[in-house]
Structures are given as C-alpha cells and as structure tokens.
Amino acid sequence: MRIAGNVEIERKKPGILLISHGEYAVGLLDSVKLITGNTQNTLALILEAGDDIEKFKEEMFTLIGKFPAGVLIFLDLFGGTPSNQFLLGANKITSPFLAFCGMNLPMVLEAVTMRKTSTFDEIREMVLEAGRESIVYLNDCVKQLYGESISDKP
C-alpha cells in the first residue's frame, strides 16, 4: 500500500482520492498535475500485491476522513478489492462524499476543475458525463477522416 500526493490538506476544500490496484491512481495523479498544475487536496492510494486488506481498508477510511468539506472518491474497478472494501465501510463516512468506479482521466479532470465552484450534485452529473463522453471508438474517426477504415486492412 502506498499513498501519493500532497498530504497537506486544505480543510475547507473538497478532496479527491484516487484508489487503484497498482500504480494506476498515481499515474492519473501525475497526469492531473501535468495538465492542471494543481494537485492540492488530491491523494492517490494504491493497493499492491501482498498488502494486508484490513490495513488497506483502514488507510482508505483514514484518508477519506481527512476531508471534512467532503471528498470525491475515484476507484479503478467495480467489484475489485478497493471498491469492495469501500462498500464494506462506506456507512461509517461522516463527511459528504461522491464515489465513482471506472475512473479515467477526463472524470478526474472534471472533478478537479469543478470542485471549487460547483455543488456535489453538479459535480456528480458532470463527472458521469465526462466518463461517458470520453470513451470514443477511434476507428470511426479514422473512417471519417480518410473515407475508409484503414484498420480493416490486414
């Protein structure tokens, strides 16, 4: 288990917690910093092979508790260990939260840019929309650009 990000928390600002199997959450955090220049109140928690699951769960909820203004929680995979452990303890969270599985960069960027000026209801809708709209079958774009699907050729 490893935590990445700026551990100094601004208590009046909603936090963002990225949680994944392996380094995925850290990679997203690095990409957010590259694109926005800002990762304040944004942390990544990764589950590594051999981690004690109970300790991981404890750490997850300790981090969630560090954001009294609320927290936007992004998990990599529904049904995986991080999301299952989250669901097992979510009833004990005392601050406002939104939790999403299937995180991707557009979803996290939307949350980072909206959390200062939007309500949690607005953030929820925009993050879900960003996730849906970010999945694009590029072969269709290739076909539009070039008039044929060059990927169909052997």
Side-chain angles (χ1 to χ4, degrees):
M1 163 179 36
R2 186 162 71 84
I3 302 166
N6 186 349
V7 292
E8 291 186 27
I9 304 299
E10 183 184 319
R11 297 178 58 78
K12 294 181 181 180
K13 178 180 177 181
I16 294 176
L17 180 58
L18 311 175
I19 307 171
S20 70
H21 297 83
E23 297 289 325
Y24 181 51
V26 175
L28 279 178
L29 183 63
D30 289 344
S31 294
V32 167
K33 187 173 186 176
L34 177 70
I35 294 167
T36 68
N38 179 13
T39 56
Q40 184 182 27
N41 272 33
T42 305
L43 298 173
L45 174 64
I46 64 168
L47 177 66
E48 297 174 301
D51 280 349
D52 180 293
I53 301 304
E54 279 303 311
K55 287 182 183 174
F56 177 81
K57 180 179 170 187
E58 274 180 42
E59 189 62 45
M60 180 189 326
F61 288 103
T62 296
L63 292 174
I64 290 169
K66 290 185 180 288
F67 301 106
V71 60
L72 308 170
I73 304 160
F74 292 88
L75 300 114
D76 60 350
L77 177 69
F78 182 71
T81 300
S83 69
N84 289 343
Q85 294 306 306
F86 172 80
L87 289 171
L88 289 172
N91 63 325
K92 296 179 179 95
I93 300 173
T94 57
S95 58
F97 72 90
L98 297 174
F100 305 92
C101 280
M103 70 176 165
N104 62 34
L105 184 58
M107 293 171 74
V108 176
L109 287 171
E110 195 70 37
V112 167
T113 58
M114 292 188 65
R115 68 178 157 174
K116 291 181 190 176
T117 59
S118 302
T119 67
F120 267 34
D121 284 340
E122 292 167 333
I123 292 169
R124 182 189 64 240
E125 292 307 313
M126 294 303 292
V127 165
L128 289 171
E129 184 178 334
R132 286 188 294 266
E133 290 181 359
S134 67
I135 299 170
V136 177
Y137 183 59
L138 283 180
N139 288 45
D140 290 341
C141 297
V142 169
K143 189 172 186 175
Q144 284 181 335
L145 284 170
Y146 300 103
E148 63 181 276
S149 180
I150 59 173
S151 66
D152 290 343
K153 299 175 183 174

